[in-house]
Amino acid sequence: MYALFSGDHANTANVEEHLDGNLCRCTGYRPIWDAARALCDDAEDALLAPLSDGEGGLVRGPCGVPCRECPERNECEMECNLDDKAKEKKAEVGGDVGKEKKEEGGGGAKVKVCTSTSLSKVREFRSSLEDASGKGQSWRMQPDDMFPSSLSDPSSSVFEETSKPLAVVDDSRSHPGSKGGTWFGPKTLREMLRLLADGVCKIVAGNTEVGIEAKFKDAHYARLVHPSPSIGELNLVDVAEDGSALRIGACAPLSDIQETCDGLASGSAAAAVKGADKIAAPIRDMLRWFASTQIRNAACLGGNLATASPISDMNPLLAALGAELVVSSLSDGSDEVRRRRVPVSTFFKSYRTVDLQPNELIERVDVPVPREGALEYCSAFKQARRREDDISIVTSGMRIVLETDSSAAGYTVKDLVLAFGGMAPTTILPPTAASSMLDKPFEEATFVEGGKALMEELKLPEDVPGGQAQYRATLAASFLRKFYLQTAEKLAADIALQKEGGKDMPAAPSVSEEDKSGGRTFLSEGKPSSRGVQKYPAPRAAVGLEEHRTDGKMGTTKLGDELDIPQVAMAALAAAKAKGKETAGKHEHPEVGKPSPHASAPLHCTGEALYTDDVPLPPSTLHAALVLATKCNVTLLSLDPSPAFAIPGVAGVYCHGDLVELGGDNKMGPIKSDESVFLSFGDKVGFVGQVLGICVGETLEAAQRGAKAVAAEYGEEEGETVVSIEQAIAAGSFYDFARHTLEHGDVESALADVPPAAPDGSRLVTVNGSFRCGGQEHFYLETNSTLAVPSESGSDLTVYCSTQSPTKTQMYCASAAGMQASRVVVRMKRMGGGFGGKETRSVFASAAASVAAVISNRPVRLTLDRDVDMSITGGRHSFLANYRASAAVSTSENSNSIKLQALDVQLYSNGGTAFDLSGPVMDRALFHVDGCYRWPNFRAVGVPCKTAQAPHTAFRGFGGPQGIAVCEHVVDHLAVACGVSGDELRRSNMYRVGESLPFGMRIGEEYSGRWNVPGMWDRLHRELDVAERRRGIEEFNEKNTYVKRGLSFVPTKFGIAFTAKFMNQGGALVHLYTDGTVLVTHGGTEMGQGLHTKVCQIAAQAFDIPLSDVYINDTSTDKIANSIPTAASMSTDMYGMATLDACRQILRRIEPIRVKLAKEGGQDPQELKLKEVAQAAHFELIDLSAHGFFALDNSRCGFDWDKTKPEDCPDNAPQNSWKGHPFNYFTQGVACAEVEVDVLTGDHRTVAVDLLVDVGSSVNPAIDVGQVEGAFIQGMGWSTLEELVYSDEDHTWVRPKGKLFTAGPGTYKIPAFNDVPESFNVTLLEDAENPFAVHSSKAVGEPPFFLGTSVFYALKDAVRAARMCRKKEHGSDADEEKYFEMRMPATSERVRMFCADDIAIDSIAIGRGGSGDSKEEAVNSFEPKGSH
């Protein structure tokens, strides 16, 4: 970004185009958008421009001048100007306290609300930027000014030296772990060709392919050539002098090609020639979405062609455009350059094999320019799992030449070229389908039949590598349909131009207005930006749990011990009202409630924040790599390390035997000790990637090569390898000891074959079905990393690591290394993300590194590569649910009520090969599978399955989102069956205050806090005018055949507390220094969520000092012992209270000193500076350090699944209430999402999202809004984009069995910038105090995650509209909606195939061959494959 803003590049369009290579879903992206835009000169205009749905925009009056630029702005009384001034005023509210208002869904009181918008932040920042730079822009030139002039000045000696040919002999092969090689840097084409003539060379232009080969395929090349940019023949991008062809040098960066083609397509290029726009536009469009800007700046077309990827974007397009390659070599025995031409269409011979000799070089690509006036049209198409920075599933280039038919009444197809990637081992040009359309009328019927022929010709086997056989065939035919619609539109435009010139031509084929939407493609459309509004209550420090002890004090005892639950709650509410909901006492520095920046934000932005891998290495540090199993479901017989020791630099290979010899304990596991540090010989390999040992070396390269070289001997496969949930159910492979049941009411009677009469004579509707949601990779930006440093001859150990569980890491590092825990110190500065993935699954890596460090008595650093981390650390549990449910529909003329009656659901999760946290994850799913709705009769049974996947673990939401997703699916099913809207069914069945949950807790203030969901639902429904929005969407869908919109409205409640009672505790250590500053250490860890910032705010508020005077250095087990993992969104609740406890202990000690000093000086005690008091207290021998502690009230946490009903339990007690009170309170929220779907491809965009979230009285609303946005995007990713693929029965093309295929960013896709909602608005609920947590706040990390699934349900709504549209077209009853199961995630494949149009149905039928199913039966039984 820094370089991008130099010179003339500072415009929003440029920025939006260049953010495509950045992945950071936990931020929600919107803040990055706002920050980047703030540096753009046109930021305000861009934010005032209309969104893609037409909303917003710069208003222009009849005079044509933008109202905001009009010199008579203040005087003009035109309606357009008055409306725009009102809109501008509304947008300018940003950052200021707004008017007092009373909102339903809050507490009902009048509150002040702050509003911040993308526009207000841009204006505020630009104002400060101008002030700081003296209203100049000199900072923009810094990148250019800093560049050494000697490298850019042709007259300098340095420039002259760099212009000479270069050869670098890498003799580092003698160094440990290096593979050496010689690099050449030719400066002319002849020098380049001479090198090729002298022997085999690997040409490296951008290193986008060779780098991957070297890293992942361990490829080694003895001779590598990097062509200089000064070789003009290889770097040109221009139109030939005679205008016959666009010439593209083989080494020209793709970004240069894109820029030139953009100029040709728009007609702005100086060298623009007529007809060039027809080929330049599709090339530009394809390159815009090729990989990312960073890659396009380095990659070249020659490499793309030579590597011959079967899923290349550009190769099919070049083939369709009739491009030719100019291939060069030297004539035998001379320096004469010999050239030959090869059509791109014949260049690809077989998989990764091309028509190119070792001594030949692709010099350039010539793309012929259509002759002027020719009816020739070209288009590019692609569809990937994610729009930007992704490899295509199917890509295509198409070119057609039309001519008037013999009757001069229409047009015929004279020539047609169809080229595809992703449909064969090479780029393929299907001849049969294309020839079948030649000389046929240019009309829809021709292309419909051509599409069927295409699907027949391109039919793929079920086990085709890459999978998605039917989808890929569907895409090919869909692209052809789009091509027809695009060409018809272009032809009509050309005819109109010809008529203007006086030439009469036949009319173009008629395309209805509804069908024109099918010609749209994201390739040619602008990349949508994101903007948003954030609203939150005015900053204030509210009274919370800290004020509610009977003795009025805070100590180290558990708070609230003396009071029962109702008294605690009512005392809290009374105290809040009595104190005006403000913390007692005057504060000079009120910090709680302020939207303060994240404490590490400046370091994050500048790249100076230190993570574990950045810790300076001590002398003699060894680097480590894990030895991993390459098979599963086999016995490990032996390991032979000798091949590793043959590699220079390998210092040691350690496995189970070495650990035992050290005296360590090999067993580990957070709940059940069913895992090992290193697998023992004779034990069964549980999953591909299981840790067998660790290799250490003088360099990372040596360690990694050594780890791969260790030879493992395995036994034979032992029976069937169980990978999926379905296989586990069939095999009875369960963690049965963790099977739990929640039940209340009489489910069996309610769902009997002949159920009892529905209440009030209503009609009883019963449904049954299944639902699946996939797993999810954590994809934290920092992979697992550990630096283990032994000292005192290996008797002590300091472990720096990236973990959410310092104490757990300490205990297992100590046990594995045969040491006492007191001799191991774990230090954690900050994590680059965790999301639950580093709660338990980081420990094995730290333990392995610790063993190696102690044995070698040298520091050892182990940082996992991304693919290794993803393969072996597990992720979110995938779920399968089988259910029965019923609802009662009123048949009375005076009532249209519908009430849920019963839910009976069986939940299965894929736990992997070891138990880890699968039991508690399933328990939380059971606690949340009721959603926000009352089911009078309820039964949920859950059990984790044991499979050959890596052990799955905690992930943001911890099973809660999976449970809620099942519930919402069932509600959707019932709504369809009952013939009512999902909104109506949801709202009419929400819990009411006083009603009990399936596990016995009651809804209500004194039990679980204020129940805000119904009021929040009504408020957001009203503010967004959802009824009108839905009518608008219906109207849009009526007018567009191939683009559909959908809208969803979903609520959530998320229980806050560790369900394991003992984990609801935390400690903190606070030091007050004599300069009045404070150092806090607590048991929680910082992973970007802002925990340290919030704790500092609480401490600053307590001492009444500026936030800048409070600091947290790190989390360390020698300061806070026996800490609990930072998880369950409980950290601010626990460590905020513990820190406040410690602060108040110190304050109580120094209070007499404060009073004494004030009396002596005749001052108000509150006016004394903390520095003065601290110095005086120190001289009075008063301890200025304190350890604080907090534990949640015993009666507000924990649940005993096996506890039976006590004899003295009241008869009217809610069922299961005697088993415990699993949650302290609920964080709540509602979401509305609107999406737009391309029916022909499954591509979608999220038009708008509005969130209303109850986070209590926020300690830091800026951080909380960020957490809401990040959680939402992560939840959206889980439910729409992020798909894990294993080698299982659905993916037999992946080998070996059980292997994770999506083990890296190349195959696993998280949301990127282009996936963010275009309008993304977040409101934190006002007047939502919570008496059960510090300063009346609420947990925020996990609860908003489920709201991201609102995009999934909106997609389902759009798909439903597409299916109804087809029914209408075929004369079916369009009002008769049928249920369909759409599994999570709603990938482009699922969306496209479930739209179930004629193309998809034909593709499914063709793919099934002679199955005998009718087309309708085929599509109704079709389900895209997935790993669960």
Side-chain angles (χ1 to χ4, degrees):
M1 294 304 298
Y2 181 61
L4 181 65
F5 282 111
S6 66
D8 299 324
H9 306 299
N11 61 77
T12 54
N14 209 19
V15 169
E16 289 165 1
E17 288 282 344
H18 286 76
L19 285 171
D20 53 6
N22 298 275
L23 298 175
C24 196
R25 68 180 172 188
C26 59
T27 65
Y29 292 112
R30 193 274 311 158
I32 301 176
W33 276 114
D34 287 349
R37 271 191 296 248
L39 297 171
C40 297
D41 294 330
D42 63 342
E44 291 193 32
D45 289 344
L47 286 169
L48 290 168
L51 291 167
S52 56
D53 62 353
E55 292 296 319
L58 197 64
V59 176
R60 295 178 185 269
C63 60
V65 177
C67 292
R68 297 187 187 187
E69 298 175 8
C70 180
E72 299 177 1
R73 170 78 157 167
N74 294 330
E75 294 78 21
C76 179
E77 294 295 323
M78 294 291 293
E79 185 177 350
C80 59
N81 189 47
L82 297 177
D83 290 345
D84 189 53
K85 284 198 290 187
K87 182 171 68 173
E88 184 179 36
K89 185 176 181 180
K90 181 179 178 181
E92 286 177 340
V93 174
D96 297 326
V97 177
K99 295 181 179 179
E100 292 185 348
K101 64 177 184 177
K102 181 177 179 180
E103 292 286 5
E104 291 182 21
K110 291 182 178 180
V111 294
K112 291 184 178 180
V113 177
C114 295
T115 302
S116 177
T117 68
S118 296
L119 181 60
S120 68
K121 283 188 282 289
V122 163
R123 286 176 171 169
E124 180 182 359
F125 181 80
R126 289 189 65 79
S127 175
S128 63
L129 183 67
E130 289 174 357
D131 291 342
S133 61
K135 297 188 182 297
Q137 297 287 318
S138 59
W139 62 273
R140 291 199 190 282
M141 301 310 298
Q142 278 190 357
D144 295 328
D145 294 342
M146 292 169 63
F147 191 82
S149 59
S150 58
L151 292 176
S152 57
D153 183 3
S155 64
S156 72
S157 59
V158 175
F159 185 89
E160 183 181 353
E161 288 298 315
T162 59
S163 302
K164 295 177 180 179
L166 183 68
V168 178
V169 179
D170 183 3
D171 60 359
S172 61
R173 188 173 176 79
S174 60
H175 291 283
S178 178
K179 293 178 283 186
T182 302
W183 283 85
F184 298 92
K187 301 297 181 179
T188 67
L189 180 61
R190 278 189 172 80
E191 290 173 3
M192 179 86 182
L193 295 176
R194 282 193 210 109
L195 289 169
L196 295 180
D198 290 342
V200 176
C201 296
K202 191 68 175 180
I203 301 173
V204 183
N207 201 39
T208 55
E209 182 76 14
V210 175
I212 293 173
E213 293 174 352
K215 181 171 180 61
F216 295 106
K217 300 179 182 178
D218 203 30
H220 168 55
Y221 304 103
R223 290 160 52 86
L224 301 103
V225 180
H226 177 61
S228 170
S230 64
I231 304 177
E233 299 94 328
L234 299 181
N235 289 279
L236 61 82
V237 185
D238 64 14
V239 177
E241 292 183 4
D242 60 1
S244 61
L246 171 63
R247 303 184 303 173
I248 303 173
C251 292
L254 298 181
S255 53
D256 287 357
I257 304 171
Q258 178 186 342
E259 184 177 1
T260 299
C261 287
D262 184 52
L264 292 171
S266 62
S268 61
V273 292
K274 291 184 177 180
D277 59 314
K278 291 188 175 182
I279 59 169
I283 293 174
R284 173 204 60 193
D285 293 345
M286 187 66 90
L287 288 177
R288 283 180 65 231
W289 297 93
F290 178 89
S292 65
T293 299
Q294 295 93 324
I295 293 174
R296 291 195 298 274
N297 285 341
C300 64
L301 211 50
N304 202 261
L305 288 158
T307 55
S309 169
I311 49 175
S312 163
D313 285 350
M314 285 301 297
N315 294 350
L317 179 57
L318 293 173
L321 294 176
E324 288 187 331
L325 305 182
V326 177
V327 176
S328 303
S329 63
L330 290 182
S331 299
D332 296 338
S334 75
D335 262 5
E336 180 185 351
V337 178
R338 180 175 54 195
R339 293 180 173 88
R340 68 186 179 95
R341 287 183 171 271
V342 182
V344 173
S345 58
T346 63
F347 184 64
F348 309 106
K349 298 302 181 183
S350 59
Y351 179 72
R352 298 283 186 175
T353 303
V354 296
D355 183 7
L356 192 68
Q357 299 302 312
N359 67 328
E360 289 184 319
L361 169 73
I362 301 174
E363 181 180 331
R364 72 171 189 268
V365 183
D366 286 352
V367 186
V369 174
R371 62 181 177 81
E372 185 179 353
L375 299 179
E376 182 172 342
Y377 304 98
C378 317
S379 291
F381 303 97
K382 69 173 287 183
Q383 183 60 42
R385 288 160 183 81
R386 183 178 63 205
R387 283 187 173 189
E388 60 189 13
D389 196 16
D390 194 6
I391 299 169
S392 295
I393 299 169
V394 177
T395 180
S396 178
M398 299 184 183
R399 180 173 61 87
I400 191 171
V401 180
L402 304 175
E403 64 180 5
T404 55
D405 59 22
S406 57
S407 65
Y411 299 89
T412 58
V413 179
K414 180 181 178 182
D415 190 22
L416 178 65
V417 181
L418 309 175
F420 294 92
M423 298 302 297
T426 66
T427 295
I428 185 173
L429 285 73
T432 304
S435 61
S436 71
M437 300 169 66
L438 292 179
D439 300 322
K440 297 286 181 65
F442 178 67
E443 61 186 15
E444 184 178 7
T446 298
F447 282 77
V448 169
E449 292 305 312
K452 294 178 180 178
L454 191 60
M455 287 188 285
E456 287 282 4
E457 188 172 2
L458 297 181
K459 178 181 175 181
L460 298 171
E462 284 290 325
D463 60 349
V464 62
Q468 302 181 307
Q470 287 91 348
Y471 177 48
R472 286 152 72 178
T474 301
L475 282 176
S478 296
F479 289 163
L480 186 61
R481 180 71 59 86
K482 280 185 174 291
F483 185 49
Y484 166 73
L485 294 170
Q486 287 184 6
T487 303
E489 186 174 354
K490 292 175 184 176
L491 176 61
D494 281 351
I495 292 171
L497 286 175
Q498 293 290 343
K499 286 186 176 181
E500 288 179 8
K503 185 177 179 180
D504 194 22
M505 296 179 67
S510 175
V511 176
S512 69
E513 289 298 319
E514 293 81 3
D515 286 356
K516 285 182 179 179
S517 60
R520 285 177 47 188
T521 169
F522 70 88
L523 291 181
S524 57
E525 295 179 352
K527 292 188 177 182
S529 60
S530 179
R531 63 189 73 171
V533 177
Q534 303 84 47
K535 297 180 182 179
Y536 54 90
R540 63 191 180 87
V543 168
L545 183 59
E546 70 276 5
E547 300 292 342
H548 307 143
R549 283 182 54 88
T550 52
D551 56 9
K553 298 178 181 179
M554 280 190 61
T556 56
T557 56
K558 298 176 184 177
L559 303 182
D561 276 347
E562 298 85 348
L563 303 174
D564 60 25
I565 296 171
Q567 288 176 315
V568 169
M570 296 314 294
L573 294 172
K577 292 176 181 177
K579 296 185 178 182
K581 298 173 187 166
E582 304 285 343
T583 300
K586 177 184 176 183
H587 277 74
E588 183 181 352
H589 302 284
E591 296 293 346
V592 168
K594 290 174 63 176
S596 302
H598 191 290
S600 297
L603 298 177
H604 290 152
C605 291
T606 60
E608 297 171 283
L610 294 181
Y611 296 89
T612 301
D613 200 47
D614 299 317
V615 174
L617 296 181
S620 75
T621 296
L622 292 171
H623 298 264
L626 297 174
V627 180
L628 305 174
T630 56
K631 297 180 180 180
C632 68
N633 197 27
V634 294
T635 299
L636 175 65
L637 301 179
S638 66
L639 287 177
D640 180 8
S642 56
F645 285 110
I647 296 171
V650 170
V653 177
Y654 311 117
C655 58
H656 168 254
D658 301 290
L659 182 149
V660 172
E661 189 175 334
L662 185 65
D665 184 354
N666 196 41
K667 290 296 182 184
M668 60 191 305
I671 296 175
K672 181 177 170 62
S673 296
D674 57 351
E675 297 185 66
S676 56
V677 180
F678 304 128
L679 190 67
S680 306
F681 298 159
D683 284 355
K684 183 178 177 180
V685 180
F687 65 99
V688 176
Q690 188 163 0
V691 179
L692 308 181
I694 187 170
C695 178
V696 292
E698 303 295 341
T699 67
L700 177 60
E701 292 79 8
Q704 289 180 334
R705 292 185 64 205
K708 291 178 181 178
V710 173
E713 182 184 0
Y714 304 102
E716 295 298 318
E717 186 173 347
E718 302 174 13
E720 181 187 11
T721 302
V722 175
V723 182
S724 67
I725 294 176
E726 287 88 347
Q727 285 180 294
I729 294 173
S733 181
F734 303 117
Y735 293 105
D736 259 317
F737 60 88
R739 187 188 298 268
H740 287 147
T741 301
L742 271 181
E743 185 170 8
H744 74 171
D746 189 351
V747 172
E748 287 301 330
S749 296
L751 292 172
D753 291 337
V754 183
D760 304 324
S762 301
R763 174 172 60 93
L764 197 66
V765 177
T766 303
V767 300
N768 63 80
S770 63
F771 175 69
R772 294 162 179 80
C773 53
Q776 187 179 21
E777 163 59 32
H778 297 93
F779 213 94
Y780 25 68
L781 294 189
E782 177 202 26
T783 60
N784 277 289
S785 183
T786 296
L787 173 62
V789 183
S791 60
E792 301 287 345
S793 299
S795 60
D796 295 345
L797 189 65
T798 300
V799 179
Y800 303 86
C801 64
S802 180
T803 181
Q804 296 172 238
S805 304
T807 292
K808 196 182 298 291
T809 302
Q810 173 196 26
M811 300 306 291
Y812 281 110
C813 288
S815 66
M819 303 172 70
Q820 295 175 326
S822 58
R823 290 184 173 272
V824 177
V825 175
V826 173
R827 303 191 66 177
M828 217 298 296
K829 179 74 172 179
R830 63 171 61 85
M831 276 172 281
F835 314 121
K838 296 175 182 175
E839 181 177 347
T840 60
R841 302 310 303 161
S842 62
V843 177
F844 72 91
S846 297
S850 297
V851 170
V854 173
I855 293 176
S856 65
N857 198 26
R858 293 174 63 177
V860 170
R861 180 165 74 180
L862 171 64
T863 298
L864 302 185
D865 280 348
R866 175 69 61 186
D867 61 317
V868 174
D869 192 291
M870 291 180 70
S871 296
I872 69 178
T873 58
R876 184 181 300 278
H877 294 71
S878 58
F879 267 62
L880 163 64
N882 294 321
Y883 62 86
R884 296 182 299 157
S886 65
V889 183
S890 173
T891 56
S892 169
E893 294 182 0
N894 299 321
S895 172
N896 59 353
S897 69
I898 176 170
K899 291 294 179 183
L900 300 175
Q901 291 300 301
L903 174 63
D904 184 14
V905 61
Q906 295 81 45
L907 301 179
Y908 303 92
S909 67
N910 195 322
T913 194
F915 187 63
D916 196 78
L917 299 174
S918 292
V921 167
M922 176 57 76
D923 291 348
R924 187 169 279 266
L926 291 170
F927 286 136
H928 286 79
V929 75
D930 61 320
C932 293
Y933 319 110
R934 180 174 181 270
W935 302 86
N937 304 286
F938 177 95
R939 179 171 62 203
V941 182
V943 62
C945 299
K946 183 179 176 67
T947 68
Q949 297 183 13
H952 293 301
T953 189
F955 199 136
R956 199 173 200 162
F958 204 76
Q962 294 97 311
I964 304 172
V966 170
C967 177
E968 294 297 338
H969 176 85
V970 174
V971 171
D972 267 353
H973 194 171
L974 279 169
V976 171
C978 295
V980 299
S981 73
D983 287 1
E984 179 185 346
L985 183 58
R986 287 177 170 87
R987 181 60 184 91
S988 59
N989 285 278
M990 287 180 180
Y991 283 113
R992 297 178 180 178
V993 173
E995 292 181 336
S996 62
L997 300 158
F999 42 88
M1001 278 182 64
R1002 288 188 187 274
I1003 289 287
E1005 292 190 359
E1006 66 268 37
Y1007 305 104
S1008 56
R1010 188 180 294 151
W1011 180 233
N1012 288 321
V1013 168
M1016 294 165 72
W1017 175 285
D1018 294 341
R1019 169 179 164 181
L1020 196 60
H1021 217 275
R1022 181 182 65 255
E1023 288 182 351
L1024 298 178
D1025 197 355
V1026 171
E1028 182 58 33
R1029 284 267 295 272
R1030 288 196 183 278
R1031 281 192 290 271
I1033 287 172
E1034 289 176 8
E1035 183 179 344
F1036 177 91
N1037 290 340
E1038 284 288 328
K1039 294 179 178 179
N1040 294 275
T1041 304
Y1042 295 110
V1043 176
K1044 300 295 181 184
R1045 287 191 175 181
L1047 184 140
S1048 74
F1049 210 90
V1050 296
T1052 190
K1053 66 169 174 43
F1054 190 88
I1056 303 300
F1058 285 100
T1059 50
K1061 181 176 291 190
F1062 80 94
M1063 296 183 74
N1064 293 285
Q1065 59 174 301
L1069 178 63
V1070 175
H1071 299 311
L1072 170 60
Y1073 294 97
T1074 55
D1075 67 349
T1077 62
V1078 173
L1079 176 67
V1080 177
T1081 304
H1082 59 83
T1085 56
E1086 176 63 49
M1087 61 189 95
Q1089 84 279 37
L1091 172 61
H1092 284 354
T1093 306
K1094 287 185 173 182
V1095 169
C1096 284
Q1097 286 179 270
I1098 291 169
Q1101 180 84 18
F1103 284 112
D1104 194 16
I1105 57 178
L1107 182 59
S1108 57
D1109 286 353
V1110 183
Y1111 179 63
I1112 295 176
N1113 183 34
D1114 64 6
T1115 304
S1116 180
T1117 57
D1118 61 349
K1119 297 171 187 170
I1120 303 297
N1122 309 314
S1123 62
I1124 298 301
T1126 304
S1129 304
M1130 275 289 290
S1131 298
T1132 300
D1133 289 18
M1134 294 195 306
Y1135 301 116
M1137 286 293 287
T1139 298
L1140 190 54
D1141 178 23
C1143 293
R1144 288 184 171 183
Q1145 291 180 50
I1146 297 172
L1147 287 167
R1148 282 199 296 271
R1149 294 176 200 159
I1150 67 174
E1151 183 60 22
I1153 304 298
R1154 184 188 296 274
V1155 173
K1156 177 183 175 183
L1157 290 176
K1159 185 176 181 180
E1160 291 174 351
Q1163 296 174 270
D1164 183 340
Q1166 296 298 321
E1167 294 178 357
L1168 288 170
K1169 298 297 183 183
L1170 184 62
K1171 177 180 178 179
E1172 301 173 57
V1173 180
Q1175 288 176 341
H1178 179 62
F1179 286 118
E1180 292 289 338
L1181 308 181
I1182 292 176
D1183 184 8
L1184 298 181
S1185 297
H1187 174 260
F1189 181 76
F1190 169 76
L1192 195 60
D1193 191 301
N1194 228 11
S1195 58
R1196 296 196 65 80
C1197 60
F1199 191 82
D1200 185 347
W1201 290 91
D1202 299 321
K1203 186 175 182 179
T1204 57
K1205 184 176 181 179
E1207 292 183 2
D1208 59 349
C1209 183
D1211 292 337
N1212 63 348
Q1215 196 166 348
N1216 297 315
S1217 60
W1218 54 84
K1219 295 184 177 182
H1221 193 276
F1223 303 121
N1224 189 27
Y1225 59 87
F1226 292 102
T1227 298
Q1228 306 154 51
V1230 290
C1232 179
E1234 183 177 343
V1235 301
E1236 186 174 283
V1237 165
D1238 185 331
V1239 173
L1240 288 173
T1241 63
D1243 180 71
H1244 81 270
R1245 65 183 185 90
T1246 305
V1247 177
V1249 165
D1250 290 86
L1251 309 178
L1252 178 58
V1253 186
D1254 167 18
V1255 296
S1257 182
S1258 176
V1259 172
N1260 187 319
I1263 285 177
D1264 285 354
V1265 166
Q1267 285 289 290
V1268 169
E1269 291 177 331
F1272 179 91
I1273 296 298
Q1274 204 167 38
M1276 181 186 78
W1278 169 58
S1279 60
T1280 63
L1281 282 175
E1282 302 179 38
E1283 183 172 37
L1284 293 168
V1285 173
Y1286 286 86
S1287 174
D1288 53 24
E1289 65 273 24
D1290 267 5
H1291 306 92
T1292 56
W1293 46 273
V1294 182
R1295 291 287 185 270
K1297 198 72 175 289
K1299 176 184 173 67
L1300 176 65
F1301 173 71
T1302 49
T1307 49
Y1308 185 80
K1309 301 300 171 181
I1310 66 172
F1313 273 90
N1314 200 246
D1315 302 301
V1316 180
E1318 295 173 30
S1319 174
F1320 194 8
N1321 304 316
V1322 176
T1323 299
L1324 303 185
L1325 187 65
E1326 313 88 357
D1327 191 35
E1329 278 62 38
N1330 173 37
F1332 305 115
V1334 63
H1335 284 299
S1336 205
S1337 62
K1338 280 190 176 183
V1340 69
E1342 294 172 285
F1345 178 93
F1346 180 76
L1347 297 179
T1349 67
S1350 59
V1351 177
F1352 169 86
Y1353 294 105
L1355 287 171
K1356 194 173 179 183
D1357 189 51
V1359 168
R1360 186 181 296 114
R1363 294 166 74 97
M1364 302 291 277
C1365 179
R1366 177 182 173 271
K1367 286 186 175 185
K1368 184 176 180 181
E1369 288 177 355
H1370 287 263
S1372 304
D1373 184 357
D1375 294 327
E1376 184 186 344
E1377 182 183 356
K1378 289 187 177 179
Y1379 155 81
F1380 59 96
E1381 178 196 357
M1382 192 159 86
R1383 301 171 180 175
M1384 286 185 180
T1387 59
S1388 58
E1389 177 188 18
R1390 288 195 173 92
V1391 171
R1392 173 64 185 96
M1393 301 309 289
F1394 272 111
C1395 283
D1397 67 337
D1398 290 341
I1399 296 176
I1401 292 173
D1402 286 339
S1403 178
I1404 294 169
I1406 290 170
R1408 293 193 171 181
S1411 66
D1413 294 342
S1414 71
K1415 287 185 178 181
E1416 288 296 329
E1417 290 172 344
V1419 75
N1420 288 336
S1421 62
F1422 177 77
E1423 183 68 51
K1425 296 181 178 180
S1427 290
H1428 296 99

